[in-house]
Every structure is written in C-alpha cells, then in structure tokens.
Amino acid sequence: MASKGTGTAFSRKSYRLTSDAEKSRVTGIVHEKLLDDYLHRIFSSTDRAPTAATSRKLLNFQNLPEHLDQLLHVDEEAEEEEESQGQVEGRLGPSTVVLDHTGGFEGLLLVDDDLLGVIGHSNFGTIRSTTCVYKGKWIYEVLISSQGLMQIGWCTINCRFNQEEGVGDTHNSYAYDGNRVRKWNVTTTNYGKAWAAGDIVSCLIDLDEGTLSFCLNGVSLGTAFENLSRGLGMAYFPAISLSFKESVAFNFGSRPLRYPFVKKAVGCLDALEEARMGVSLLQELCRLVAGPAAVKMVGYRPLQDPPSADLVRAQELLGCFQAVLSVELDPMEGRLVEKESSEWQLQGQPTVLLTLAHIFHRFAPLLRKVYLVEAVLVSFLLGVVEAGTPTQAQSVVHQVLDLLWLFMEDYEVQDCLKQLMMSLLRLYRFSPIVPDLGLQIHYLRLTIAILSHEKSRKFLLSHVLFDVLRSVVFFYIKSPLRVEEAGLQELIPTTWWPHRSSREGKESKEVKDETSEERLRRRAYERGCQRLKKRIEVVEELQVQILKLLLNNQDDNGGEASRYIFLTKFRKFLQENASGRGNMPMLCPPEYMVCFLHRLISALRYYWDEYKASNPYATFSEEAYIPPQVFYNGKVDYFDLQRLGGLLSHLRKTLKDDLASKANILIDPLELQAATMDDLDEDEEPAPAAAQRPMQALAMGGTLPLPRPSWLSSPTLGRANRFLSTAAVSLMTPRRPLSTSEKVKVRTLSVEQRTREDVEGSQWNEGLLVGRPPEEPEQPLTENSLLEVLDGAIMMYNLSVHQQLGKMVGVSDDVNEYAMALRDTEDKLRRCPKRRKDILAELTKSQKVFSEKLDHLSRRLAWVHATVYSQEKMQDIYWLLRVCLRTIEHGDRTGPLFAFMPEFYLSVAINSYSALKNYFGPVHSMEELPGYEETLTRLAAILAKHFADTRIVGTDIRDSLMQALASYVCYPNSLRAVERIPEEQRIAMVRSLLAPYEQRPWAQTNWILVRLWRGCGFGYRYTRLPHLLKTKPEDANLPSLQKPCPSTLLQQHMADLLREGPDVAPSFLNSVLNQLNWAFSEFIGMIQEIQQAAERLERNFVDSRQLKVCATCFDLSVSLLRVLEMTITLVPEIFLDWAQPTSEMLLRRLAQLLNQVLNRVTAERNLFDRVVTLRLPGLESVDHYPILVAVTGILVRLLVHGPASGGSGEMHMKPGHCFSH
C-alpha cells in the first residue's frame, strides 16, 4: 500500500522484513562496519554505558530483531506486576478504574463513554468509582470543567446519599467544595481556595496515617481531615456530588497525572523508575509552576497503575527514533554525521528506511495507547517546540508526522493523532495561568505544527476536531480567578478604578477632575494593562494561525481542501448549538464562543482581503455583506431558524411567483407538496416514537453513558435536514449561460453532500450565489466559501456571544459597587470623632477589606478588558454590525424576497449596537469608531422602516425592533441620527406611530411618542422622580431617568400628519383615550386589592408581580396623559376648533377622563392616598406628582388655546412653548 503522506512516497512492503533471504540481500547496502556503527549508535540503551567497538557484537539487519528484543526486555517482576495490577495490596476492584455507572450513583447523571467524565443532570447527583482503597497512600485528579456547586472527595460503600445530601454530608464521607471554599464531613468549615473552570483538584488519602488532603493545581491546601476510620470493612471510594449542569473529568491514572506526588526528593529516581512512574517534561513544567509546596507531599500512588513495562519500551524506542533524526549516514566517506533534528531529511536511503521500519514495527502498537501518547509522544514533541524556533519545531514535527504516516498503518496513525490532539486539548484547557502564558503558548505552537501537516490536518478536521473534541477550547483564554497565582500583581503593581462608570457612553459621563496622585495611579495602571494585553495578543495570534490553517483552500491536492471540510463541520456545530439552546450538554460554553468568534473574524478578514489583492473586482472586507440570494436559494442550511416572513415552507408557497420573476427560480408544485406533508408528519410525530430516544434511559433514573455531548459528536441533523432534503426548491446546475427569461430549478443539498463546486461555483454555475436578483452586482464580493463563514459568524453572535458580553460586564459592576462602598467608608472615617476609637477601628477594617477587594477586582478587570473588551474586540463587533446593516439594506431592495432573511440578522444588528454602546465603556467609546455617525444613521433608517414592516411577521422580532427604536430616541446622539434619515422615511415612521392603538402592541409605541415629548411638557424635565427626593434621598444619587432630549422636528411631523385628513386625528385620539380609560381603571382596581390586603389583621404579603403590574399600569396612564398633552400642544384645534365635527366629542371624552383621574387622585385620605403612604417596595413610582402634573399640563394647554384666551383655535409653533416646574 502506497503512503499518502507528504514528501517522498514509498511502498510499505519494502520495509516489512518478510524472509531471511531478503535480510541478507539488504545488509550490503552500506559497508558492514558502517552499518554496525550506525545500528549501535541508534539502538544503544539509554541506561547503559556505551560498549567498546572491539568487544561488542556485530550488528546487522539479520540479528537486529534479537538485539531489539534484548533492548526492550523488561524485568519479569515488572511484567508480573503489570499483569496483576488489580491485586495490589491496599486496593480492591478492577485494575482499570472508572466511574461506577451501574450501581454506585444517586440521582440523574450523564456519563461520557470513557466512564471518566460526568455531568450533573439532577439537583445533587452522586457517583463513585469502581475501585476502593483500604491501606497505603493514594491519589486521583479531578479536572474542573465548570466552577459551580460540587463536593469532591472520598466515601465508603455504606454511605447513603440522596438529592439533598452528597459526599461529605454523611459519616465516613469527606469532601472539598471549592465553590463555597469549604470542607465537608457532616459539618462544614472553611478550607482551601476557590476553584475555577480549568483547575485540577488532586485528592490524596493516607490510610497509614489516617489523613486526607487536597491540592489545587499542584499546590497543597493543607490537611483537610485527620483520624479517618480504618480497620475491618473500611475502604474508601473516590466520589463526587455535583449539582445540575456542573461537569468534571476524572483521572485515576489512565493518563499521566498532571501533578504526580511520587518523587521522594528531586533527582533521587533513576531513568527507569521515572519511566515507570510516568514523570515527563510536561509534569516537570507543571511542578515548577506549582512551586515547592508540590514536592513536600510525596509517596502517593495513582489508583490505576501506569503501564510501566510498555512505558519503558516506548521511551527506549523514542530514544532510538530520536537517534535516527540526529544521525546521518555518509556512505561516500564511510562515517556517521551528527545533525540537528530540524535539518534531517528522509532521502530514501534503504539503511535508514529499514532501521525506521524495525523501530515502528514495535513502536506503532504502543502509540495507540492514551497513556503512552501523553507520557512519551506529547512530551517529546513539546520538547522539540521548546528547544527550537517555530520554524525548526515545525520542520521536526512534519518529519515525525511524515514517518508516522509512512511506517504505520492508517488506523494506527489515526488513533495516535486522535489521542495526541485530545491530550493537547486537555493540557491547554487545564493549564494554570502563568505571567508569560508560557504553557499555553507551547501547546498552541505544537498544535500549529501538527495542523500545518496537510494530511494530518485533513484527517483531524474530518474526524476529530469537531466530532470528538471541543476544539473550540483552543481559541479560549480562560480568565484567572486568583490573580496572585496568575502573576497579575507583578504585571500590574499599581491598581486604579474609575470614580464613576457609565454604560451609556460619553453622553452620560460625569466629568470629574483628577488629582495628580490619581492621574499617576491611572497611568501606571494603564501601562500594566498594556503589558498584559501584549502577552495575551501573542496567544491570540497563535489561535488565529490555527484558524488560518483550517480555512486554507489551496490544499486540495488529491482531495477536498481544508476550508470545505471546515465549512461542513462548522455548520453542524452551529446547528447543534442552535437546536440545543437551553440544554447544557449540547451547547458550546458561551465564553468559548466569544473567543472563537473574534479569532474567526480575524482569519476571515485576512483571507477576504487576500482575495481582494488578487481580484480587483472583489470588495474589501470593510465593505462585506451577505447577498440576499443566499437566504432563498437553499444552498445554505439555516435549520429551523425563523425567517422574517415566517416558516420557509410557507414563504416558498406564497412567494413562488416572486422567486420566479426576480430570481429566476422555479418551484416544483409536487416537491412543494412533499415538503409540506413532510413538515406536517414531523409535527404529528406520535408520542411512542418520541419516547424511543436515548433520554428514555435517563428518565428511568441513574446514569446514562453517552458517547459525548451531542454538540461534540455531530449527531444526525434531524428534522431540519429531513425537511430540506425534500425541499420545495429543486436545483440543477446549469452548464451554459442563462438568458434573462430562463428559470433555474434549484436542488437543495445537505451539508455533507456539497462539493467545492456547489459552494464556489464553476464557469456557468454561481454556486452559493445562484438566483441573483437584478439589484445585486454581477461581480462576486469574494470567495463564496468566505460568505458562508461570515454568515456563520453572525449566527454565532446571536446564539450566545451577546449574552456573554453582557454577563462579563458584571466584573465592572462589582468594581463600581466596591469603589462606592470604599468612598462612603472613607467619608465616614473623615467625619467620625477621634474619641470613638471602636467605630474608627471597624471603619478602618472595612476600608482595608474594600481596598484589597478592589485591588483584586481591578487586576481581574484588566484581564477582562484585554480578552473581551479591548479596542480590537470592539472593532470586530462594530464590523459585524456594519455587515448586518449592509445585508439588511441589500435584502430590503429585493422587495417581498426580504421575508426569506433569517431573523437573527436584525437581532444581531440591534444587539451589537447595544453591546458597543453599553458594554465597552468607559475605557472605549463607540464615538471613537470610524464612520460612527453614518452607522448610527443607517441603523436608525432600518429601525424606522422595519418596526412596522408588514413583511416581518414574527412577534418577538417586531417587539425587538420596537424596543430598539424606543431606546434609540432616548439619547441625543441616536435621536439626531433618526432626524438625519430622509424626510419621507421620518414621516412614514411617525405615520406608523400614529396608527390606531387597537390590534397591535401599543405600549411601546406610546413610550416612543412620550420620549419625543419629554422635556417639553409641563413639569416634565426631571431626571429623578421629584417625590423621591424627600422620601428617599439616598436614591437620588442613582440616575433613575435618562436626561430629556425632545425632538421638535419629529413633533412637527406629528402635527402635520394629525392635520392631514379628517380621520387621522380622531382615530388616533380615540384609541389613546380608550387605552387611558383601560389602564387607569386597571390601576384603580389593583390598588383596591392592595389596600384590602394591607388592612387585614392576619399577616400577609402582596405578590411582587401584582405590585409590578400595578406600577406599570400607573406609568402607562401617565404616559398616555403626556401623549394627550403633546397632541393638544401641537394641534389644539383638534379639541378646540368647533368647525371640526369630532372636536366636541373628543373634548367631552377628555374632560370625563380627566375628571375621573382628579376625583381618584386628589381626594384627601382616599384610596390612592392611603396606598401611596404605604410606600410598598415596587410602587416607588406611584405618587401624586407624576399624574397630577400631566393632568395640569393638559388643562393649562386647553386654557392657553381655548376661546377665553382669544385664541383662534390654530396653534402657532414657538420655540418657548415648554413648561418647567
């Protein structure tokens, strides 16, 4: 079988020594003496002194197997020990230690197929291992994947657990809880440090001394328990209890322990003993990181013994292999030449090839074992990366991979590569954060070197990176929970925090002069942040390099290019996360998604601009967008995600004529009917069929050995693809140019069925862009595959990135809260009399606690700003916003076909603007971004046009558009953007706002009108509720309302429209009066119930939801009154011009409602007054002032413009028509 590896190709059969005759022929390849020297140089034992040339046995290929057998011989004692691992004194149970998923559990748990990983799926599930210990010193490790509530430790077989009590809550069970930083054994006390996702907990038990202790990342937390019960019948199992959705992975010894406490002293073990114990370069690095505290605890043995004999053989063979890479034969000179491994080349010399064949004949089976790959191969490759430059390391790694593919069977090298990448990912994910991020850099450099090898990259992409591994982990930089261990104190010696931060950008910042000391601290802090950022950028650049390798589309020699394999896997990854929202095992953690998105954008823009450099007709990435035909031609699978116009099947039925006329796409009625019936069948799936799923086992109670969480194992695509496989649009690729009148039948392909031609197209096939509408340019923007990657990036932002960006702001909020507490404490210290030493001592203690907490948080905030909220990350989100705006604008031009666009494009446009405005300040401001005002105007135009767009039918997206517009008109900069959009769009927007309130969500519309008026009404300029300034002055420090910013331009449009026709104003005002009557009546009814509950003698509580609804009805009543005030101010003739037929009726209705409001609110000691005096939490906004000034404003306007004032009934707009209180 010929090798498919890169470089020179040789037949494997040439190197399998099948007969003695063949052996004799090849010994004459080089001089006998030179061959002997070469083989002795290669196959000399690492633990024996070199033998003199005169006394050693002559080596050749005939006797080399015998020599190798002697070299790899392991003592019989070691062999017997390995064969009888299950009978070690002090240990009971199987030699292979796993979690007991058959009987040793309580509650519902998800267990990985290797029986080492577990996810909680109930309130507090418990599981133990299959092996227990009763004598000696033992250790196992737990890799913390989530930092929630878990209790990890040991228990006996007699311990009984339930959904409330787990490990440590019963006698003879002991646990460490890093979430609450406590230890548990029936009672609980403080112990240890807080753990974080990515930490490793070592659990150590010494049954000779009767003690139990724990270590975190190799650092001892001290003895946790003493005087353990020992003796007859007392044996301890490793065990864990974990709450819902928490996850960990155990290492009982199936892989080398990351922090093995086995050395009696540094340097006291020989090489063979170290090999048996599995001590590697990797573990030495981790031990150095852990520090001297890790070496004090010695003599502990993993529950599962390492494969000592195989480990010795593997290390001997690795030494032989390394010798081959460092020695070169010179047959002409008859001598051996020492060379650097990076300079070694496989030149086809038969002697070298036969030597390697002998090595790999014995090495290949060993390289399929998890333990040996991590202990031997990974350590060797990490040593290569550490010793040389990236170029040299990549050269050596390529040589190694070439030889693996050449001399090992395909299934052997595939298993080896799978284990290699799994080990690398574990090492990267569970490495401690050090100041220079050295460990992470080494692992990423090795990953890059492996993925730079074309054949290995394609295999890993096709079968490992997205199918078996959480490969997204490689793009994540975890945040250190303990800043002192991450070295942030040295990087950022001076801490600083802002006096006040605002999420609303520069519009609401309070300017405060800095003292010279504060300025020096801030500058020193910023310099420290810059140092940290530079170190993080090194890691980020390596992560981007990995994605550039995966997006390479020039490596299609003899197969599919990497980019198209990546596209298939990436689309499945998106589908699994889109369909599994709310089901934690299926979801990629959002913190991983954030980092993955930023790296993907960097790699995507690199290839986009690279394509532009060689294709002048293409566009730069700065002008990127998704062409609208992608949304309706069926080439990209959007699963079951909602479209703007509803279901895809419905759109294809109702818009088939538009598809034919605008995009030259025909709909086959038979296929359309089949698709519709298939969709109905799915909806009517019988209950028994739905029950026949793996979750059935989980529902029966107990653990469920799952292959992997489904977002990792790429399950079948389910309903979405079954629907699309019989899609209404049937597509056949044309082989000649189409005339404008010809129609194309489009066949939808599943992700797996697509080829490069289906994506990129060919001479007469537009690929991904088939069905181009006439509004779109003929020249392609870029490569079609990059458009699909961009579409996936936008979907990623919608799935979880935006939520995570909002969550990470919590660190900044904590800084603000502690800073405020520290300032208050310092103020109290200044005011406190010196004679009150007791109070001074308590205040000084509080000041110290707040200062230490702020020091910690400010350093952690520096990390968050560097990894999540940096200027570069802000520009990435801004770029996505502009891509979405251009995509929506181009889609809008297609008319009815705009309905095919997925809803998430509008959601991302709204949410990304919100993130830029609220999450990146005060360090970075959106106003600093290029094209800021133009972007604001374009988004304003989209919101103004589409909040009432009949092509958009989804209730949620319509509400989101309405809320976004309401928020947009609250702030001066964005309101000015609304005023900058074309006049016809502004008028259309106001016309939609003035449509009758019935049969549509009117509350948000009303809020928008109120915000356009706020600042112009009677007593309506306040930024804090005036009635709270007396009753709750402490609340006045917090801004409760946005500063008013009315728009006289939009008010003028409103006035013009209300005068436009005889029916516009009456229909609008009648709907406002109807809603006011309803809202105020509901409010009165609710306060009656609240008053009755308060007067009862028995103790009772008013439901907080009821209070909230009551306050909402009150606020709605006030806002509707303000809209009436605005209408009377702008167009008084609607009520006061008796020539109009509806004026008297409208004025009469208005007077009745105002009379009702005044009667209910102004009477002394009435119902309203009694409820207000209760001062119930949640009803702070309910008071006389807001509603009475609104009514007063209406009455004043009626008096000003009424006949008694001599007014003619016609309103003249003046700049000074506003009132203040």
Side-chain angles (χ1 to χ4, degrees), residues 897-956:
L897 299 184
F898 178 62
F900 281 96
M901 180 179 289
E903 284 184 353
F904 66 79
Y905 274 85
L906 277 170
S907 298
V908 171
I910 294 168
N911 291 333
S912 57
Y913 167 73
S914 173
L916 291 167
K917 189 172 187 292
N918 299 328
Y919 299 157
F920 287 83
V923 179
H924 305 293
S925 171
M926 188 179 176
E927 297 175 22
E928 301 167 0
L929 295 168
Y932 160 74
E933 291 193 353
E934 179 211 353
T935 302
L936 244 59
T937 305
R938 293 169 72 176
L939 178 57
I942 287 171
L943 294 176
K945 180 171 185 178
H946 297 300
F947 85 95
D949 193 338
T950 56
R951 295 172 295 181
I952 302 174
V953 300
T955 304
D956 291 342

Side-chain angles (χ1 to χ4, degrees), residues 77-97:
E77 293 181 4
E79 291 276 16
E80 291 174 3
E81 181 185 347
E82 192 163 336
E83 291 174 2
S84 61
Q85 283 180 359
Q87 302 173 7
V88 174
E89 185 181 10
R91 183 179 64 195
L92 294 173
S95 59
T96 301
V97 187

Side-chain angles (χ1 to χ4, degrees), residues 390-560:
T391 304
Q392 292 173 334
Q394 188 166 305
S395 174
V396 175
V397 173
H398 278 211
Q399 291 287 348
V400 172
L401 292 173
D402 280 339
L403 295 173
L404 291 181
W405 283 105
L406 184 61
F407 288 102
M408 294 170 66
E409 298 294 342
D410 279 354
Y411 71 91
E412 292 174 332
V413 69
Q414 288 169 3
D415 284 350
C416 177
L417 282 173
K418 176 182 173 182
Q419 300 300 341
L420 177 60
M421 291 305 295
M422 289 178 69
S423 296
L424 267 179
L425 184 134
R426 275 192 300 267
L427 294 174
Y428 178 80
R429 185 180 184 188
F430 295 99
S431 292
I433 300 292
V434 295
D436 63 350
L437 299 172
L439 292 173
Q440 286 77 10
I441 289 172
H442 283 318
Y443 302 143
L444 290 175
R445 283 179 59 193
L446 178 53
T447 304
I448 289 170
I450 293 170
L451 293 177
S452 298
H453 188 264
E454 181 180 322
K455 187 173 183 181
S456 301
R457 175 173 69 249
K458 289 185 178 180
F459 163 72
L460 291 169
L461 252 179
S462 299
H463 301 99
V464 177
L465 290 182
F466 284 92
D467 296 279
V468 179
L469 298 181
R470 291 190 178 199
S471 56
V472 178
V473 173
F474 280 122
F475 310 109
Y476 175 54
I477 304 177
K478 64 182 179 182
S479 176
L481 188 63
R482 300 169 298 277
V483 297
E484 64 279 358
E485 294 175 17
L488 294 187
Q489 288 177 328
E490 291 75 22
L491 271 178
I492 310 174
T494 305
T495 58
W496 171 84
W497 47 89
H499 282 281
R500 186 183 189 90
S501 70
S502 170
R503 295 188 190 176
E504 306 300 346
K506 291 185 176 179
E507 297 168 6
S508 58
K509 281 186 181 178
E510 292 188 7
V511 179
K512 182 174 180 178
D513 294 333
E514 284 183 316
T515 64
S516 58
E517 181 183 354
E518 288 175 340
R519 189 179 304 109
L520 290 174
R521 283 185 62 194
R522 177 174 58 80
R523 290 175 178 174
Y525 177 74
E526 289 173 349
R527 287 194 297 271
C529 294
Q530 199 62 31
R531 288 192 295 270
L532 173 64
K533 183 181 175 185
K534 287 181 179 178
R535 295 188 178 187
I536 289 175
E537 284 175 348
V538 175
V539 176
E540 291 178 343
E541 180 54 37
L542 293 173
Q543 294 170 332
V544 172
Q545 286 183 38
I546 292 176
L547 273 172
K548 286 179 181 177
L549 290 170
L550 301 184
L551 288 175
N552 183 359
N553 70 335
Q554 303 301 319
D555 57 348
D556 54 353
N557 305 319
E560 197 172 12

Side-chain angles (χ1 to χ4, degrees), residues 579-592:
S579 60
R581 298 178 78 173
N583 191 350
M584 182 61 70
M586 297 184 181
L587 291 177
C588 172
E591 59 268 25
Y592 295 0

